[in-house]
Amino acid sequence: MSDTQPMISLRQVCKRYPGTTNDAVMPLDMDIGKGEFVVLVGPSGCGKTTTLRMINRLVEPTSGEIWIDDVDVTRSEPDDLRRHIGYVIQQVGLIPHMTIEQNVGLVPRMLGWPKARIKERSSELLELVGLDPDKHARRYPKQLSGGQQQRVGVARALAADPPIMLMDEPFGAIDPVTRERLQEEFLRLQERIKKTIVFVTHDIDEALKLGDRIAIFAEGSRLAQFATPLEILTHPADDFVRSFIGEGAAIRRLALLRVGDLDLTPDSIDGAVPVDRVHTVAQALERALQANAAGVDVPGVGPVSVQSLMLATAVARLTDQVSR
Ligand code: ADP
Ligand code: MG
């Protein structure tokens, strides 16, 4: 990200809560590029939520500066700032007596959009997050499952098309199967919307799966490493990172390879099964296997045989040129 101007820049940002003797976040420097998906990960209490909430000033920094696109946010009007930054939390925070449509339209209504435009935008967003507007727009939050509510939370955060999304353990309270599906859907969504995302989790596997870069916080808000998943898995900065990523790092690295990361050329085969660019190689191979097909159909490439897919994977591993 060094070649472009950062979208979000934290400069010596520090937070000490009143009446406490230690910094919740000690002076932190971090640059986040435009369209980058950055994950903050670390054990409970290490300052992830505090860091995130300082970016939209739900928490006031004790010292330091936070720049968004040339604006020092510590000097801007907090309400205005929050309307231009989407925020998604684990508790979702949908308003119970408002319909799904009204919940999604919350920020546009505050911004004074005309009614028809809000309605149109709500439908568009519900579709975007995989909910049928005809079926769900008029319902109330409690009539939806946890996973569906979380999708509405994402739709609501996207309503005014903010360039930045802050997400605090958004999939934390969801069962593992739904969670995995939401993670994949969200990756696919991000390929289209290209937001600058800061995402908090305590789950290293979720971080490795989602992040372009991962910031690993240690106890006492020390930033142990800020790097790509591949760099972290291959060159952990210290013993803390090594123990945090745990065993089987090399295998997990393989599991990270996505179809879209590979250098592929089309083959002349029939009956390839469609896959997505965000699918991992393992998922793509499994699809081909299940369909008893000779290969997979990759968007932007065309049909690719199972052999070519495996060869490209081996090449990517050997040359270590996988960039996420
Ligand atoms: P994380 O999200 O990584 O679990 P937090 O940012 O919530 O961590 O908390 C970091 C530290 O700040 C913790 O020690 C926590 O107890 C403390 N803390 C968080 N919020 C407050 C608060 N409002 N007042 C005092 N201390 C707080
Ligand atoms: Mg937290």
Side-chain angles (χ1 to χ4, degrees), residues 43-50 52-53 90 168-169 200-202:
S44 175
C46 67
K48 305 178 296 292
T49 294
T50 301
L52 196 73
R53 288 163 69 97
Q90 183 179 316
D168 197 348
E169 312 223 15
V200 164
T201 180
H202 60 267

Side-chain angles (χ1 to χ4, degrees), residues 2 11 91 133 173 201 263 266 317:
S2 49
R11 298 184 196 163
Q91 301 79 2
T201 180
D263 188 10
R317 284 173 65 197

Side-chain angles (χ1 to χ4, degrees), residues 203-310:
D203 175 356
I204 183 66
D205 284 308
E206 182 167 70
L208 290 168
K209 185 168 183 185
L210 296 179
D212 295 321
R213 279 195 301 164
I214 301 173
I216 300 186
F217 286 80
E219 315 285 346
S221 81
R222 179 178 70 87
L223 184 57
Q225 191 166 9
F226 186 24
T228 65
L230 221 66
E231 278 165 46
I232 286 170
L233 289 173
T234 49
H235 301 103
D238 59 18
D239 284 343
F240 175 81
V241 174
R242 213 164 286 127
S243 77
F244 194 71
I245 57 182
E247 297 299 317
I251 292 172
R252 294 223 300 275
R253 199 191 121 196
L254 228 196
L256 284 177
L257 266 180
R258 296 184 186 286
V259 172
D261 293 330
L262 299 176
D263 188 10
L264 296 169
T265 48
D267 295 311
S268 46
I269 51 162
D270 289 326
V273 287
V275 293
D276 212 287
R277 294 180 68 83
V278 301
H279 280 142
T280 59
V281 172
Q283 286 173 320
L285 287 172
E286 198 182 314
R287 291 206 170 201
L289 213 68
Q290 272 175 358
N292 201 15
V296 293
D297 196 354
V298 181
V301 178
V304 176
S305 70
V306 166
Q307 287 80 358
S308 299
L309 195 62
M310 285 164 57

Side-chain angles (χ1 to χ4, degrees), residues 3 30 54 80 85 100 157 174-175 262 269 279 301:
D3 49 340
M30 193 182 253
M54 285 195 286
D80 187 48
I85 299 180
I100 297 308
I174 310 274
D175 68 89
L262 299 176
I269 51 162
H279 280 142
V301 178

Side-chain angles (χ1 to χ4, degrees), residues 124-136:
E124 182 188 315
L125 283 163
L126 288 175
E127 246 162 56
L128 190 70
V129 298
L131 292 172
D132 179 357
D134 294 335
K135 225 157 115 189
H136 296 101

Side-chain angles (χ1 to χ4, degrees), residues 6-15 25 28-32 50-76 81 85 164 166 198:
M7 178 81 173
I8 304 171
S9 190
L10 310 186
R11 298 184 196 163
Q12 291 290 297
V13 172
C14 167
K15 178 65 185 181
V25 173
L28 175 67
D29 287 299
M30 193 182 253
D31 280 348
I32 296 168
T50 301
T51 302
L52 196 73
R53 288 163 69 97
M54 285 195 286
I55 297 173
N56 64 3
R57 284 186 61 194
L58 284 169
V59 168
E60 288 295 336
T62 306
S63 59
E65 293 173 359
I66 300 176
W67 292 77
I68 294 179
D69 242 3
D70 287 336
V71 178
D72 181 357
V73 304
T74 52
R75 272 164 232 210
S76 32
L81 183 72
I85 299 180
I164 296 172
L166 305 180
V198 189

